[in-house]
Amino acid sequence: MKKEVLGNCEPEETRVAILEDGHLAELLWERHALKGIVGNVYKGRVENVIPGISSAFVNIGYEKNAYLYITDVIRNSHNSPIDHLLKKGQEIMVQVAKEAIGTKGMKITMDLSIPGRYLVYMPFQEHVGVSKNIQEDAERDRLSSLVEKYLRSVLGSGGCIVRTEAEGAEEWELEREIKYLHRVWDSVRKKFDSLPSPCLLHQDLSLTLQVARDLLSEEIGIYLLDSKERYEEVVEFVEKLAPELLPRVKLYTAKTAIYEAFHVDPAIVAMRQSKISLPSGGTIVIQEAESLCAVDVNTGRFTGSKSQEETVTQTNLEAAQEIARQIRLRNIGGIIVIDFIDMRKASNRHRVVETLTNAVRRDRAKTRILPITRLGLVEMTRERKRESTMSLITEECPECNASGRVLSKESMLILIQREIRKLTRGKPGGSVRVLVKPAVAEVLRSHLQSFERNVHRAVRIQSDPSLNWEDYKIIIE
């Protein structure tokens, strides 16, 4: 598979698009005014400890306190209650695990992890783990023994996760990275001892550098950036981190905007659509809510050429592929419920779940898929560290109050008639002037005779484009 990474760097925001075979597969976003804080390490102060929900709320310097659950409190081997572990006013070192999403505050942990290119150092753990994507036993043993060796000699304590990128890495590369992680951790500890709470102890890399650290590999054909300043930062970073990958980092200098040239902008616009067409003619409908995301699969105009079971199965198989692509592209996390079309054969249901399982393997976020039910429902979860793309680029509709729907034209007609009768107390005579949205005005005019008969008055309808859909003005004359 051909993979390309495109960085669009502007004064207000940075966007990084990951293309697979020329199609947008993933979009990473960083608004500079609201810079992401996942991965940042803070010195926080415990504000409240609530045993009833085994949680604490910690002030790390933001308007809303961060949420700390008991399982994220380190050194709790005796399963002690949280009020035995933390006290109000206590200063603790924490790391942001999830950004604030909707009405929920940010989630933090005391089990820190400091990522590098090959390793993730965990100061409060004691084991060395190796990525399951490294499958050869000899290579796993080699990496584990080398990391264990330098972990004890350089850092003295702590644990590590060996990342997939470490496969084939030289001994000196691993040693260099462990020494780099040691310098970072040493700086964090010194700041914790000397600075007052709440304060920032360690900030994760900018988005363009995170991509260079976490994604740039032999699989990536090119990492193209349209900002000379960001390009030079990435070049300097890659020279130290993985100089063999430096030829893959390029500066985009063409006059046409980078996302326009690579047809990324239309794909971003299409993300706002709730209905997505499938190749055969079927459709999927994606509806995001704060607590979960519902996905509905429909056959649409696809009727197939054989049996109904085969038509339905074909639609579901296409939908499984597209759903995996869309939830990754839209960064939809949390609980996802998929309503596949009912299939009679258990073998077909198994094929659909297997197709979905295989499709989400490209996703870097952790997913868990449960078996399909007899009703055709599949429940799955996807790791959520940041808000979804839709939550980032949109806001609540002022006309529909975020419901996604407004009163129908007929409902507006009935509502206005009812309001006029209330204002006039049903007394006949005189005239009424009604100001509404143009589309609503058109319907009111088409029902003018019955309208006037129902309110017992002459009615004059006027259009006012400045009004919201459900707004109207009634003037008794």
Side-chain angles (χ1 to χ4, degrees), residues 388-472:
S388 72
T389 301
M390 286 297 292
S391 299
L392 178 69
I393 66 176
T394 64
E395 60 183 26
E396 291 186 355
C397 171
E399 295 205 13
C400 70
N401 296 317
S403 70
R405 304 184 69 85
V406 292
L407 287 175
S408 66
K409 301 180 187 73
E410 291 74 17
S411 296
M412 289 295 296
L413 170 64
I414 295 168
L415 179 64
I416 293 169
Q417 287 182 170
R418 185 182 297 131
E419 186 70 15
I420 292 173
R421 287 197 297 268
K422 180 180 176 181
L423 290 171
T424 62
R425 297 182 180 178
K427 295 179 181 179
S431 62
V432 177
R433 184 154 50 99
V434 180
L435 284 73
V436 288
K437 200 83 171 171
V440 180
E442 189 176 328
V443 173
L444 266 56
R445 291 190 187 105
S446 66
H447 293 78
L448 188 59
Q449 288 186 353
S450 60
F451 195 150
E452 291 181 329
R453 186 169 60 251
N454 292 336
V455 301
H456 310 296
R457 290 181 180 239
V459 178
R460 186 153 52 101
I461 309 297
Q462 291 183 342
S463 299
D464 187 347
S466 66
L467 292 174
N468 289 333
W469 182 269
E470 294 185 6
D471 289 346
Y472 56 85

Coordinates of all heavy atoms in Angstrom, one line a residue, residues 388-472:
S388 N -13.7 14.1 18.5 CA -13.8 13.7 17.2 C -13.6 14.9 16.2 O -13.7 16.1 16.7 CB -15.2 13.1 16.9 OG -16.2 14.1 16.9
T389 N -13.3 14.6 15.0 CA -13.1 15.7 14.0 C -14.4 16.6 13.9 O -14.3 17.8 13.8 CB -12.7 15.1 12.6 OG1 -11.5 14.4 12.8 CG2 -12.5 16.2 11.6
M390 N -15.6 16.0 13.9 CA -16.8 16.7 13.8 C -17.0 17.7 15.0 O -17.4 18.8 14.8 CB -18.0 15.8 13.7 CG -18.1 15.1 12.3 SD -18.4 16.2 11.0 CE -20.1 16.8 11.4
S391 N -16.6 17.2 16.2 CA -16.7 18.1 17.4 C -15.8 19.2 17.3 O -16.0 20.3 17.8 CB -16.5 17.3 18.6 OG -17.4 16.2 18.8
L392 N -14.6 19.0 16.6 CA -13.6 20.0 16.5 C -14.0 21.1 15.5 O -13.8 22.3 15.8 CB -12.3 19.4 16.1 CG -11.1 20.3 15.9 CD1 -10.6 20.9 17.2 CD2 -9.9 19.6 15.2
I393 N -14.5 20.7 14.4 CA -14.7 21.7 13.3 C -16.2 22.2 13.2 O -16.4 23.1 12.4 CB -14.3 21.1 11.9 CG1 -15.3 19.9 11.5 CG2 -12.9 20.6 11.9 CD1 -15.0 19.4 10.1
T394 N -17.1 21.7 14.0 CA -18.4 22.2 14.0 C -18.9 22.6 15.4 O -18.2 22.3 16.4 CB -19.4 21.1 13.5 OG1 -19.4 20.0 14.4 CG2 -19.0 20.6 12.1
E395 N -20.0 23.3 15.5 CA -20.6 23.6 16.8 C -22.1 23.4 16.7 O -22.6 23.2 15.7 CB -20.2 25.0 17.2 CG -20.7 26.1 16.2 CD -20.3 27.5 16.6 OE1 -19.2 27.6 17.3 OE2 -21.0 28.4 16.3
E396 N -22.7 23.6 17.9 CA -24.2 23.4 17.9 C -24.9 24.3 17.0 O -24.6 25.5 17.0 CB -24.7 23.5 19.4 CG -24.2 22.4 20.3 CD -24.9 22.5 21.6 OE1 -25.6 23.5 21.9 OE2 -24.7 21.5 22.4
C397 N -25.9 23.8 16.3 CA -26.7 24.6 15.4 C -27.6 25.6 16.2 O -28.4 25.1 17.0 CB -27.5 23.7 14.5 SG -28.7 24.6 13.4
P398 N -27.5 26.9 15.9 CA -28.4 27.8 16.7 C -29.8 27.7 16.3 O -30.7 28.2 17.0 CB -27.8 29.2 16.3 CG -27.1 29.0 15.0 CD -26.6 27.6 15.0
E399 N -30.1 27.2 15.1 CA -31.5 27.1 14.7 C -32.2 25.8 15.2 O -33.4 25.9 15.5 CB -31.6 27.1 13.1 CG -31.1 28.5 12.6 CD -31.7 28.8 11.2 OE1 -32.7 28.1 10.8 OE2 -31.2 29.7 10.6
C400 N -31.5 24.7 15.2 CA -32.2 23.5 15.7 C -31.8 23.1 17.1 O -32.2 22.0 17.5 CB -31.8 22.3 14.7 SG -30.1 21.8 14.8
N401 N -31.0 23.9 17.8 CA -30.6 23.6 19.1 C -29.8 22.3 19.2 O -30.0 21.5 20.2 CB -31.7 23.6 20.1 CG -32.4 25.0 20.2 OD1 -31.7 26.0 20.3 ND2 -33.7 25.1 20.2
A402 N -29.0 22.0 18.2 CA -28.2 20.8 18.1 C -29.0 19.5 18.0 O -28.4 18.4 18.2 CB -27.2 20.8 19.4
S403 N -30.2 19.6 17.7 CA -31.0 18.3 17.6 C -30.9 17.8 16.2 O -31.1 16.6 15.9 CB -32.5 18.6 17.8 OG -33.1 19.4 16.8
G404 N -30.4 18.6 15.2 CA -30.3 18.2 13.9 C -31.6 18.3 13.1 O -31.7 17.9 11.9
R405 N -32.7 18.8 13.8 CA -34.0 18.9 13.1 C -34.6 20.2 13.5 O -34.4 20.7 14.6 CB -34.9 17.7 13.5 CG -34.3 16.3 13.1 CD -35.3 15.2 13.4 NE -36.4 15.2 12.5 CZ -36.4 14.6 11.3 NH1 -35.3 14.1 10.9 NH2 -37.4 14.7 10.5
V406 N -35.5 20.7 12.7 CA -36.3 21.9 13.0 C -37.8 21.6 12.8 O -38.1 20.6 12.2 CB -35.9 23.1 12.1 CG1 -34.5 23.6 12.5 CG2 -36.0 22.8 10.7
L407 N -38.6 22.4 13.3 CA -40.1 22.2 13.0 C -40.4 22.2 11.6 O -39.8 23.0 10.8 CB -40.9 23.3 13.7 CG -40.9 23.3 15.3 CD1 -41.7 24.5 15.8 CD2 -41.6 22.0 15.7
S408 N -41.3 21.4 11.1 CA -41.7 21.3 9.7 C -42.5 22.6 9.4 O -42.9 23.3 10.3 CB -42.5 20.1 9.5 OG -43.8 20.2 10.2
K409 N -42.6 22.9 8.1 CA -43.4 24.0 7.6 C -44.8 24.0 8.1 O -45.4 25.0 8.5 CB -43.3 24.2 6.1 CG -41.9 24.3 5.5 CD -42.0 24.4 4.0 CE -40.6 24.3 3.4 NZ -40.0 23.0 3.4
E410 N -45.4 22.8 8.1 CA -46.8 22.6 8.5 C -46.9 22.8 10.0 O -47.9 23.5 10.5 CB -47.3 21.2 8.2 CG -47.4 20.9 6.7 CD -46.1 20.7 6.0 OE1 -45.1 20.5 6.6 OE2 -46.1 20.8 4.7
S411 N -45.9 22.4 10.8 CA -45.9 22.7 12.2 C -45.8 24.1 12.5 O -46.4 24.7 13.4 CB -44.8 21.9 12.9 OG -44.9 20.5 12.8
M412 N -45.0 24.9 11.7 CA -44.9 26.3 11.9 C -46.2 27.0 11.6 O -46.6 27.9 12.3 CB -43.8 26.8 10.9 CG -42.4 26.5 11.3 SD -41.8 27.2 12.9 CE -41.9 28.9 12.5
L413 N -46.9 26.5 10.6 CA -48.2 27.1 10.2 C -49.2 26.9 11.4 O -49.8 27.9 11.8 CB -48.7 26.4 9.0 CG -50.2 26.7 8.6 CD1 -50.4 28.1 8.2 CD2 -50.6 25.7 7.4
I414 N -49.2 25.8 12.0 CA -50.1 25.5 13.1 C -49.7 26.3 14.3 O -50.6 26.9 15.0 CB -50.2 24.0 13.4 CG1 -50.8 23.2 12.2 CG2 -50.9 23.7 14.7 CD1 -50.6 21.7 12.3
L415 N -48.4 26.4 14.6 CA -47.9 27.1 15.7 C -48.3 28.6 15.6 O -48.7 29.2 16.6 CB -46.4 26.9 15.8 CG -45.7 27.6 17.0 CD1 -46.2 27.1 18.3 CD2 -44.2 27.5 16.8
I416 N -48.1 29.2 14.5 CA -48.4 30.6 14.3 C -49.9 30.9 14.4 O -50.3 31.9 15.0 CB -47.8 31.1 12.9 CG1 -46.3 31.1 13.0 CG2 -48.3 32.5 12.6 CD1 -45.6 31.3 11.6
Q417 N -50.7 30.0 13.8 CA -52.1 30.2 14.0 C -52.6 30.1 15.4 O -53.4 31.0 15.9 CB -52.9 29.1 13.2 CG -52.8 29.2 11.7 CD -53.6 28.1 11.0 OE1 -53.8 28.2 9.8 NE2 -54.0 27.1 11.7
R418 N -52.0 29.2 16.1 CA -52.3 29.1 17.6 C -51.9 30.3 18.3 O -52.7 30.8 19.2 CB -51.6 27.8 18.1 CG -52.0 27.5 19.6 CD -51.2 26.3 20.1 NE -51.6 25.1 19.3 CZ -50.7 24.3 18.8 NH1 -49.4 24.5 18.9 NH2 -51.1 23.2 18.1
E419 N -50.7 30.9 18.0 CA -50.2 32.1 18.7 C -51.1 33.3 18.4 O -51.4 34.1 19.3 CB -48.8 32.3 18.3 CG -48.1 33.5 19.0 CD -47.8 33.1 20.4 OE1 -47.8 31.9 20.8 OE2 -47.5 34.1 21.2
I420 N -51.6 33.4 17.1 CA -52.5 34.5 16.8 C -53.8 34.4 17.5 O -54.3 35.4 18.1 CB -52.7 34.6 15.3 CG1 -51.4 34.9 14.5 CG2 -53.8 35.5 14.9 CD1 -51.5 34.8 13.0
R421 N -54.4 33.2 17.6 CA -55.6 33.1 18.3 C -55.5 33.4 19.8 O -56.3 34.0 20.5 CB -56.2 31.6 18.2 CG -56.7 31.3 16.8 CD -57.6 30.1 16.8 NE -56.8 28.9 17.2 CZ -56.2 28.1 16.3 NH1 -56.3 28.4 15.0 NH2 -55.5 27.1 16.7
K422 N -54.3 33.1 20.4 CA -54.0 33.4 21.8 C -53.9 34.9 22.0 O -54.4 35.4 23.0 CB -52.7 32.7 22.2 CG -52.3 32.9 23.6 CD -51.0 32.2 23.9 CE -50.5 32.5 25.3 NZ -49.2 31.8 25.6
L423 N -53.2 35.6 21.0 CA -53.1 37.0 21.2 C -54.4 37.8 21.0 O -54.6 38.8 21.6 CB -52.0 37.5 20.1 CG -50.6 37.1 20.4 CD1 -49.7 37.5 19.2 CD2 -50.0 37.8 21.6
T424 N -55.2 37.3 20.1 CA -56.5 38.0 19.8 C -57.7 37.5 20.6 O -58.8 38.0 20.5 CB -56.8 37.9 18.3 OG1 -57.0 36.5 17.9 CG2 -55.7 38.5 17.4
R425 N -57.4 36.4 21.4 CA -58.4 35.8 22.2 C -59.6 35.3 21.3 O -60.7 35.3 21.7 CB -58.9 36.7 23.3 CG -57.8 37.1 24.3 CD -58.3 37.9 25.4 NE -57.3 38.3 26.3 CZ -57.4 39.1 27.4 NH1 -58.6 39.6 27.6 NH2 -56.4 39.3 28.2
G426 N -59.3 35.0 20.0 CA -60.3 34.5 19.1 C -61.3 35.5 18.6 O -62.2 35.1 17.9
K427 N -61.1 36.8 18.9 CA -62.0 37.8 18.5 C -61.8 38.1 17.0 O -60.6 38.3 16.5 CB -61.8 39.1 19.3 CG -62.2 38.9 20.7 CD -62.0 40.2 21.5 CE -62.3 40.1 23.0 NZ -62.0 41.3 23.7
P428 N -62.8 38.1 16.2 CA -62.7 38.4 14.8 C -62.5 39.9 14.5 O -62.6 40.7 15.4 CB -64.0 37.9 14.2 CG -65.0 38.1 15.3 CD -64.2 37.9 16.6
G429 N -62.1 40.2 13.2 CA -61.9 41.6 12.8 C -60.5 42.0 12.8 O -59.6 41.4 13.5
G430 N -60.2 43.1 12.0 CA -58.8 43.6 12.0 C -58.0 42.7 11.1 O -58.4 41.8 10.4
S431 N -56.7 43.0 11.1 CA -55.7 42.3 10.3 C -54.4 41.9 11.1 O -54.2 42.6 12.1 CB -55.3 43.1 9.0 OG -54.7 44.3 9.4
V432 N -53.7 41.0 10.6 CA -52.5 40.6 11.2 C -51.4 40.5 10.2 O -51.6 40.0 9.1 CB -52.7 39.1 11.8 CG1 -51.4 38.7 12.5 CG2 -53.8 39.2 12.9
R433 N -50.2 41.0 10.6 CA -49.0 40.8 9.7 C -48.0 39.9 10.4 O -47.7 39.9 11.6 CB -48.3 42.2 9.6 CG -47.1 42.2 8.6 CD -47.0 43.7 8.0 NE -47.0 44.7 9.1 CZ -45.9 45.2 9.6 NH1 -44.7 44.9 9.1 NH2 -45.9 46.2 10.5
V434 N -47.6 38.9 9.6 CA -46.7 37.8 10.0 C -45.4 37.9 9.3 O -45.4 37.8 8.0 CB -47.3 36.4 9.9 CG1 -46.4 35.3 10.4 CG2 -48.7 36.4 10.6
L435 N -44.2 37.9 10.0 CA -42.9 37.9 9.4 C -42.2 36.6 9.7 O -42.1 36.2 10.9 CB -42.0 39.1 9.9 CG -42.3 40.5 9.4 CD1 -43.6 41.0 10.0 CD2 -41.2 41.4 9.7
V436 N -41.8 35.9 8.7 CA -41.2 34.6 8.8 C -40.1 34.4 7.8 O -39.9 35.2 6.9 CB -42.2 33.4 8.7 CG1 -43.2 33.3 9.8 CG2 -43.0 33.6 7.4
K437 N -39.4 33.3 8.0 CA -38.4 32.9 7.0 C -39.0 32.7 5.6 O -40.1 32.3 5.5 CB -37.7 31.6 7.5 CG -36.4 31.2 6.9 CD -35.3 31.9 7.7 CE -33.9 31.4 7.2 NZ -32.8 32.2 7.7
P438 N -38.3 33.0 4.5 CA -38.9 32.9 3.2 C -39.5 31.6 2.9 O -40.6 31.5 2.3 CB -37.7 33.3 2.3 CG -36.8 34.2 3.1 CD -37.0 33.7 4.5
A439 N -38.8 30.5 3.2 CA -39.4 29.2 2.9 C -40.7 28.9 3.6 O -41.6 28.3 3.1 CB -38.4 28.1 3.2
V440 N -40.8 29.4 4.9 CA -42.0 29.2 5.7 C -43.1 30.2 5.1 O -44.3 29.8 5.1 CB -41.7 29.5 7.2 CG1 -43.0 29.4 8.0 CG2 -40.6 28.6 7.7
A441 N -42.7 31.4 4.7 CA -43.6 32.3 4.1 C -44.3 31.7 2.9 O -45.5 31.9 2.7 CB -42.9 33.6 3.8
E442 N -43.6 31.0 2.1 CA -44.2 30.4 0.9 C -45.3 29.4 1.3 O -46.3 29.4 0.6 CB -43.0 29.7 0.2 CG -43.4 29.2 -1.2 CD -42.2 28.6 -2.0 OE1 -41.1 29.1 -1.7 OE2 -42.5 27.7 -2.7
V443 N -45.1 28.6 2.3 CA -46.1 27.7 2.7 C -47.3 28.4 3.3 O -48.5 28.0 3.0 CB -45.5 26.7 3.7 CG1 -46.6 25.8 4.3 CG2 -44.4 25.8 3.1
L444 N -47.1 29.4 4.1 CA -48.2 30.2 4.7 C -49.0 30.8 3.6 O -50.3 30.8 3.7 CB -47.6 31.2 5.7 CG -47.5 30.8 7.1 CD1 -46.7 29.6 7.3 CD2 -47.0 32.0 8.0
R445 N -48.4 31.3 2.6 CA -49.2 31.9 1.5 C -50.0 30.9 0.7 O -51.1 31.2 0.3 CB -48.2 32.7 0.5 CG -47.6 33.9 1.1 CD -46.8 34.7 0.0 NE -46.1 35.8 0.6 CZ -44.7 35.8 0.8 NH1 -44.0 34.8 0.3 NH2 -44.1 36.8 1.3
S446 N -49.5 29.7 0.6 CA -50.2 28.7 -0.1 C -51.4 28.2 0.7 O -52.4 27.6 0.1 CB -49.3 27.5 -0.4 OG -48.9 26.8 0.8
H447 N -51.5 28.5 2.0 CA -52.6 28.1 2.8 C -53.3 29.3 3.4 O -54.0 29.3 4.4 CB -52.1 27.3 4.0 CG -51.6 25.9 3.7 ND1 -50.3 25.7 3.1 CD2 -52.2 24.7 3.7 CE1 -50.2 24.4 2.9 NE2 -51.2 23.8 3.3
L448 N -53.2 30.5 2.6 CA -53.7 31.7 3.2 C -55.2 31.7 3.5 O -55.6 32.3 4.5 CB -53.3 32.9 2.2 CG -53.6 34.3 2.7 CD1 -52.8 34.5 4.0 CD2 -53.2 35.3 1.7
Q449 N -56.0 31.2 2.6 CA -57.4 31.2 2.8 C -57.8 30.5 4.1 O -58.6 31.0 4.9 CB -58.1 30.6 1.6 CG -58.1 31.4 0.3 CD -59.0 30.8 -0.8 OE1 -59.5 29.7 -0.7 NE2 -59.1 31.6 -1.8
S450 N -57.3 29.3 4.3 CA -57.6 28.5 5.5 C -57.0 29.2 6.7 O -57.6 29.2 7.8 CB -57.2 27.1 5.4 OG -55.8 27.0 5.2
F451 N -55.8 29.8 6.5 CA -55.2 30.5 7.6 C -56.1 31.6 8.1 O -56.3 31.8 9.3 CB -53.9 31.1 7.0 CG -52.9 31.6 8.1 CD1 -51.5 31.5 7.9 CD2 -53.3 32.1 9.3 CE1 -50.6 31.9 8.8 CE2 -52.4 32.5 10.3 CZ -51.0 32.4 10.0
E452 N -56.6 32.5 7.2 CA -57.4 33.6 7.6 C -58.7 33.1 8.2 O -59.2 33.7 9.1 CB -57.7 34.5 6.3 CG -56.5 35.2 5.8 CD -56.7 36.1 4.6 OE1 -57.6 35.7 3.8 OE2 -56.1 37.1 4.5
R453 N -59.2 32.0 7.7 CA -60.5 31.5 8.2 C -60.3 31.0 9.6 O -61.2 31.2 10.5 CB -61.0 30.3 7.3 CG -62.4 29.8 7.7 CD -62.9 28.9 6.6 NE -62.1 27.7 6.4 CZ -61.3 27.6 5.3 NH1 -61.4 28.5 4.3 NH2 -60.6 26.5 5.1
N454 N -59.2 30.4 9.9 CA -58.9 29.8 11.2 C -58.6 30.9 12.3 O -58.9 30.7 13.5 CB -57.7 28.9 11.2 CG -58.0 27.6 10.4 OD1 -59.2 27.2 10.3 ND2 -57.0 27.0 9.9
V455 N -58.1 32.0 11.9 CA -57.8 33.1 12.9 C -58.8 34.2 12.8 O -58.7 35.2 13.6 CB -56.3 33.7 12.6 CG1 -55.3 32.6 12.8 CG2 -56.2 34.4 11.3
H456 N -59.7 34.1 11.9 CA -60.8 35.1 11.8 C -60.3 36.5 11.5 O -61.0 37.5 12.0 CB -61.7 35.1 13.1 CG -62.1 33.7 13.5 ND1 -62.9 32.9 12.8 CD2 -61.8 33.0 14.6 CE1 -63.1 31.8 13.4 NE2 -62.4 31.8 14.5
R457 N -59.3 36.6 10.8 CA -58.7 38.0 10.5 C -58.0 37.9 9.1 O -57.6 36.8 8.6 CB -57.7 38.4 11.5 CG -58.3 38.7 12.9 CD -57.3 39.2 13.9 NE -58.0 39.5 15.1 CZ -57.9 40.7 15.7 NH1 -57.3 41.7 15.2 NH2 -58.6 40.9 16.9
A458 N -57.8 39.1 8.5 CA -57.0 39.2 7.3 C -55.5 39.0 7.7 O -55.1 39.6 8.7 CB -57.3 40.5 6.6
V459 N -54.8 38.3 6.9 CA -53.4 38.0 7.2 C -52.5 38.4 6.1 O -52.8 38.1 4.9 CB -53.2 36.5 7.5 CG1 -51.7 36.2 7.8 CG2 -54.1 36.1 8.7
R460 N -51.5 39.2 6.4 CA -50.5 39.5 5.4 C -49.1 38.9 5.8 O -48.6 39.0 6.9 CB -50.3 41.1 5.4 CG -49.4 41.6 4.3 CD -49.8 43.0 3.9 NE -49.9 43.9 5.0 CZ -49.0 44.8 5.4 NH1 -47.9 44.9 4.6 NH2 -49.1 45.5 6.4
I461 N -48.6 38.1 4.8 CA -47.4 37.3 5.1 C -46.2 38.1 4.5 O -46.2 38.5 3.3 CB -47.4 35.9 4.4 CG1 -48.7 35.2 4.9 CG2 -46.2 35.1 4.8 CD1 -48.9 34.9 6.3
Q462 N -45.1 38.3 5.3 CA -43.9 38.9 4.8 C -42.7 38.1 5.1 O -42.6 37.4 6.1 CB -43.7 40.3 5.5 CG -44.8 41.3 5.1 CD -44.5 42.7 5.7 OE1 -43.8 42.8 6.7 NE2 -45.2 43.7 5.2
S463 N -41.8 38.1 4.1 CA -40.5 37.3 4.3 C -39.5 38.1 5.0 O -39.3 39.3 4.7 CB -40.0 36.8 2.9 OG -40.9 36.0 2.3
D464 N -38.7 37.5 5.9 CA -37.6 38.2 6.6 C -36.4 37.2 6.6 O -36.4 36.3 7.5 CB -38.0 38.6 7.9 CG -37.0 39.4 8.6 OD1 -35.8 39.5 8.1 OD2 -37.2 40.1 9.7
P465 N -35.5 37.3 5.7 CA -34.4 36.3 5.7 C -33.5 36.3 6.9 O -32.8 35.4 7.2 CB -33.5 36.7 4.4 CG -34.5 37.6 3.6 CD -35.4 38.2 4.6
S466 N -33.5 37.4 7.7 CA -32.7 37.5 8.9 C -33.2 36.6 10.0 O -32.4 36.4 11.0 CB -32.6 39.0 9.3 OG -33.9 39.4 9.8
L467 N -34.4 36.2 10.0 CA -35.0 35.4 11.0 C -34.5 33.9 11.0 O -34.2 33.4 9.9 CB -36.5 35.3 10.9 CG -37.2 36.6 11.2 CD1 -38.7 36.5 11.0 CD2 -37.0 37.1 12.7
N468 N -34.3 33.3 12.1 CA -34.0 31.9 12.1 C -35.3 31.1 11.7 O -36.4 31.6 11.7 CB -33.6 31.4 13.5 CG -32.2 31.9 13.9 OD1 -31.4 32.2 13.0 ND2 -32.0 32.1 15.2
W469 N -35.1 29.8 11.4 CA -36.2 29.0 10.9 C -37.4 29.0 11.8 O -38.5 29.2 11.3 CB -35.7 27.5 10.7 CG -36.7 26.7 10.1 CD1 -37.7 25.9 10.8 CD2 -37.0 26.5 8.7 NE1 -38.5 25.2 9.9 CE2 -38.1 25.6 8.6 CE3 -36.4 27.0 7.5 CZ2 -38.6 25.1 7.4 CZ3 -36.9 26.5 6.3 CH2 -38.0 25.6 6.2
E470 N -37.2 28.8 13.1 CA -38.4 28.7 14.0 C -38.8 30.0 14.6 O -39.7 30.1 15.4 CB -38.1 27.7 15.1 CG -37.9 26.3 14.6 CD -37.7 25.3 15.7 OE1 -37.8 25.7 16.9 OE2 -37.5 24.1 15.4
D471 N -38.1 31.1 14.2 CA -38.5 32.5 14.7 C -39.6 33.1 13.8 O -39.7 32.8 12.6 CB -37.3 33.4 14.7 CG -36.3 33.0 15.8 OD1 -36.7 32.2 16.7 OD2 -35.2 33.5 15.8
Y472 N -40.4 33.9 14.4 CA -41.5 34.6 13.7 C -41.9 35.8 14.5 O -41.7 35.9 15.7 CB -42.7 33.7 13.4 CG -43.3 33.1 14.6 CD1 -44.3 33.8 15.4 CD2 -42.9 31.8 15.1 CE1 -44.8 33.2 16.5 CE2 -43.5 31.2 16.2 CZ -44.4 31.9 16.9 OH -45.0 31.4 18.1

